[in-house]
Amino acid sequence: MEQNKIPQATAKRLPLYYRFLNNLNQQGKKRVSSKELSEAVKVDSATIRRDFSYFGALGKKGYGYNVEYLLGFFRSTLDQHEVTEVALIGAGNLGTAFLKYSFLKNNNIRITKAFDADPSKVGTDIDGVPIYHVDELVEQLDGISVAILTVPSSEAEAITEKLVNEGVNGILNFTPARITVPQHVRVHHIDLAVELQSLVYFLKHYPLDKE
Amino acid sequence: MEQNKIPQATAKRLPLYYRFLNNLNQQGKKRVSSKELSEAVKVDSATIRRDFSYFGALGKKGYGYNVEYLLGFFRSTLDQHEVTEVALIGAGNLGTAFLKYSFLKNNNIRITKAFDADPSKVGTDIDGVPIYHVDELVEQLDGISVAILTVPSSEAEAITEKLVNEGVNGILNFTPARITVPQHVRVHHIDLAVELQSLVYFLKHYPLDKE
DNA sequence: AAAAAGTCGTGATGTTATTCACAAATTAAT
DNA sequence: ATTAATTTGTGAATAACATCACGACTTTTT
Ligand SMILES: NC(=O)c1ccc[n+]([C@@H]2O[C@H](COP(=O)([O-])OP(=O)(O)OC[C@H]3O[C@@H](n4cnc5c(N)ncnc54)[C@H](O)[C@@H]3O)[C@@H](O)[C@H]2O)c1
Ligand SMILES: NC(=O)c1ccc[n+]([C@@H]2O[C@H](COP(=O)([O-])OP(=O)(O)OC[C@H]3O[C@@H](n4cnc5c(N)ncnc54)[C@H](O)[C@@H]3O)[C@@H](O)[C@H]2O)c1
């Protein structure tokens, strides 16, 4: 909403900065330079300064950045004051791993409902997250606008349509399927097989000792 | 090795193209245009043609691409004729999900060994993949050059050092830790919390009905 | 045989992201 | 006080990537 001039590449790095600032703060560090931050998050220091500068002059020349101030700034920028509820569809191997992981530690994100088609899973819960039948999506999904998709790829398209109908406008898709969505819906793909394969490709085809 | 002029962005899309070509081939399709492919993988058709063109003239004007030929071409480009062995470190929630997943279906990649520090896991196997103690890395890792890292983030740095010493030069890192490696080692980060958080950020801060 | 439709490959252009490099400001040291 | 050392914020340069748009060629239709 606010000012949508933040480059996408920058926006993707914000959570990373936020996490490291949190670490620093917990360690009691009071100030940090773009150079230090750069070494920690492996992003060029000029890029970090540029990223920060989109939000105004957050640092002080010759000093660096005040950890607490910066942390507070990003906390509100990333809406960390309110918990974001997320639904998970497909409580299989991958889905279960996510359900057992607490994203709440550093990020105010919580998976509050899971859905599956397997009758033996429906009605149970995993680490406190209840598993509903996927047919109950319509009744149970209200208010939730982000979903994690970990169903078999053959089901991805059909489930996506349901999700979108129920008002979901952000999907984190772990299936290999490239799903079709209306323009107002944002999909991030995480394709493990592709990641692995492209890593192997890079190793075999790129010079070994310079990036 | 060969010609290292392939842009990184292109290289990352190759496995995706490969997978869809495989699908098409299995469906018995003989030819495909960049337009059709574009709709399937959600990549602009001009980008697809450009990507392919780095490898020479693979298509025919007015016709499109021969599925079988293209598939064969990418199979060898992606070294799909030989199986790539991969090790997994940390057979916890996430690691177990990966061990149960067969990457072999479409990609000639196989996790052949897993390592963990938990004595109750060592000596067992998951879906046929044996779990060794992490202290056995040195003896057991020979020949393997790619590793998947799914240990607690506090362990990431120490394990990475061991892996690198043993000759691993590709790491798929699922921990939130930003690990330090020598120049010749390639790390791909998959940071689930960051993905989720940046997705939420985009939804809240970007115009809703145009990309 | 001719016309129409389809499609590639790519030069040109547009867009987004990264990095350099330095003046201006601040802090730290002498 | 003065000088030296830091470090930001940013204009300008560079690099990487995506897209447009069209000539050239092929296939299909009439
Ligand atoms: N596990 C991995 O390491 C891995 C790696 C790469 C990709 N993936 C992809 O992630 C997805 C999930 O993988 P997984 O290993 O967890 O598979 P899985 O089979 O263990 O889990 C799928 C779950 O979805 C449920 N399901 C099936 N149809 C459903 C429906 N219509 N509605 C709701 N739930 C339904 C199943 O009951 C099951 O619990 C797959 O698309 C897979 O290709 C997984
Ligand atoms: N599960 C998720 O959804 C999720 C999400 C985001 C990030 N992550 C990250 O992925 C990593 C793994 O997550 P998880 O949920 O599978 O955790 P987990 O605790 O279930 O698994 C970690 C495994 O590593 C093993 N281990 C501990 N120390 C080890 C060592 N020194 N050498 C070898 N193995 C060792 C443990 O015995 C355990 O089996 C963590 O870094 C976590 O932050 C997980």
Side-chain angles (χ1 to χ4, degrees):
Chain A
M1 303 293 186
E2 277 118 75
Q3 351 95 287
N4 53 352
K5 351 154 194 206
I6 311 302
Q8 301 223 355
T10 297
K12 286 203 167 182
R13 284 187 291 263
L14 296 182
L16 192 58
Y17 297 147
Y18 179 69
R19 187 159 64 206
F20 271 91
L21 287 169
N22 239 325
N23 290 162
L24 291 178
N25 192 48
Q26 270 158 26
Q27 285 163 33
K29 279 209 86 180
K30 291 295 173 210
R31 58 183 271 194
V32 65
S33 69
S34 60
K35 188 153 163 286
E36 286 175 273
L37 218 37
S38 168
E39 277 151 25
V41 302
K42 320 282 182 199
V43 171
D44 186 273
S45 68
T47 300
I48 293 179
R49 294 199 298 282
R50 173 81 57 195
D51 283 347
F52 289 2
S53 77
Y54 292 116
F55 299 95
L58 304 176
K60 221 198 285 189
K61 298 183 179 182
Y63 175 86
Y65 301 88
N66 178 293
V67 172
E68 209 167 316
Y69 173 75
L70 204 54
L71 184 61
F73 184 85
F74 280 124
R75 198 191 324 271
S76 61
T77 298
L78 290 171
D79 298 294
Q80 288 293 314
H81 42 272
E82 57 180 35
V83 171
T84 301
E85 296 195 3
V86 172
L88 181 140
I89 328 293
N93 292 318
L94 205 49
T96 300
F98 296 156
L99 291 173
K100 288 185 178 165
Y101 185 75
S102 174
F103 291 94
L104 260 182
K105 275 180 238 158
N106 286 318
N107 326 297
N108 254 347
I109 289 177
R110 181 160 34 195
I111 303 177
T112 51
K113 291 176 179 178
F115 296 87
D116 207 291
D118 183 342
S120 73
K121 291 179 179 172
V122 172
T124 66
D125 71 282
I126 293 176
D127 274 25
V129 182
I131 302 181
Y132 299 96
H133 194 279
V134 68
D135 291 344
E136 292 181 71
L137 265 182
V138 180
E139 301 100 72
Q140 290 291 343
L141 211 57
D142 65 340
I144 298 183
S145 61
V146 177
I148 298 176
L149 204 56
T150 48
V151 295
S153 60
S154 54
E155 308 292 320
E157 197 68 58
I159 302 276
T160 297
E161 204 179 328
K162 283 193 203 174
L163 291 173
V164 170
N165 282 340
E166 292 313 306
V168 166
N169 57 3
I171 296 177
L172 198 54
N173 177 25
F174 286 88
T175 80
R178 250 45 188 181
I179 57 187
T180 304
V181 293
Q183 278 200 309
H184 70 279
V185 177
R186 185 159 195 122
V187 179
H188 284 200
H189 291 276
I190 301 189
D191 197 320
L192 273 7
V194 163
E195 292 292 340
L196 209 42
Q197 230 176 325
S198 74
L199 177 61
V200 169
Y201 179 83
F202 280 119
L203 295 180
K204 295 210 176 157
H205 294 264
Y206 279 69
L208 286 156
D209 38 55
K210 47 167 180 158
E211 172 66 288
Chain B
M1 308 287 187
E2 278 119 75
Q3 352 95 288
N4 54 352
K5 349 153 196 207
I6 310 302
Q8 302 222 356
T10 296
K12 286 203 167 183
R13 285 187 290 263
L14 295 183
L16 192 57
Y17 297 147
Y18 179 69
R19 187 159 64 205
F20 271 91
L21 287 169
N22 239 325
N23 291 162
L24 291 178
N25 193 46
Q26 271 158 27
Q27 285 162 32
K29 278 208 89 180
K30 291 296 173 209
R31 58 184 271 194
V32 65
S33 68
S34 60
K35 189 154 162 282
E36 285 175 274
L37 218 38
S38 169
E39 278 151 23
V41 301
K42 320 279 182 201
V43 170
D44 186 274
S45 66
T47 299
I48 293 179
R49 293 199 298 281
R50 173 82 57 197
D51 283 348
F52 288 2
S53 77
Y54 293 114
F55 299 95
L58 304 177
K60 218 198 289 189
K61 299 183 178 179
Y63 176 86
Y65 301 89
N66 179 293
V67 172
E68 209 169 316
Y69 173 75
L70 204 54
L71 184 62
F73 184 85
F74 280 124
R75 196 189 329 267
S76 62
T77 298
L78 290 171
D79 297 293
Q80 288 293 312
H81 43 272
E82 57 180 35
V83 171
T84 302
E85 295 195 4
V86 172
L88 182 140
I89 328 293
N93 292 318
L94 207 49
T96 300
F98 296 156
L99 290 173
K100 288 186 178 165
Y101 185 75
S102 173
F103 292 94
L104 260 181
K105 274 180 239 157
N106 286 318
N107 326 297
N108 253 349
I109 290 176
R110 182 161 33 194
I111 303 176
T112 51
K113 290 176 179 178
F115 298 87
D116 205 291
D118 182 343
S120 73
K121 290 180 179 172
V122 172
T124 66
D125 72 282
I126 293 177
D127 275 25
V129 182
I131 303 181
Y132 300 95
H133 194 278
V134 68
D135 291 344
E136 293 181 71
L137 265 182
V138 180
E139 303 98 75
Q140 289 291 343
L141 212 57
D142 66 341
I144 298 183
S145 61
V146 178
I148 299 175
L149 203 56
T150 48
V151 295
S153 59
S154 55
E155 308 292 323
E157 198 67 58
I159 300 276
T160 297
E161 203 179 327
K162 283 193 204 175
L163 291 172
V164 170
N165 282 340
E166 293 312 308
V168 166
N169 58 3
I171 296 177
L172 197 54
N173 176 25
F174 285 88
T175 81
R178 251 41 189 183
I179 56 187
T180 304
V181 293
Q183 278 200 309
H184 70 278
V185 177
R186 184 158 198 125
V187 179
H188 284 199
H189 291 277
I190 301 191
D191 196 320
L192 273 7
V194 163
E195 292 292 339
L196 208 42
Q197 231 177 324
S198 74
L199 177 60
V200 170
Y201 179 83
F202 280 121
L203 296 180
K204 295 208 177 156
H205 295 264
Y206 279 70
L208 286 156
D209 37 56
K210 47 167 180 159
E211 172 65 288

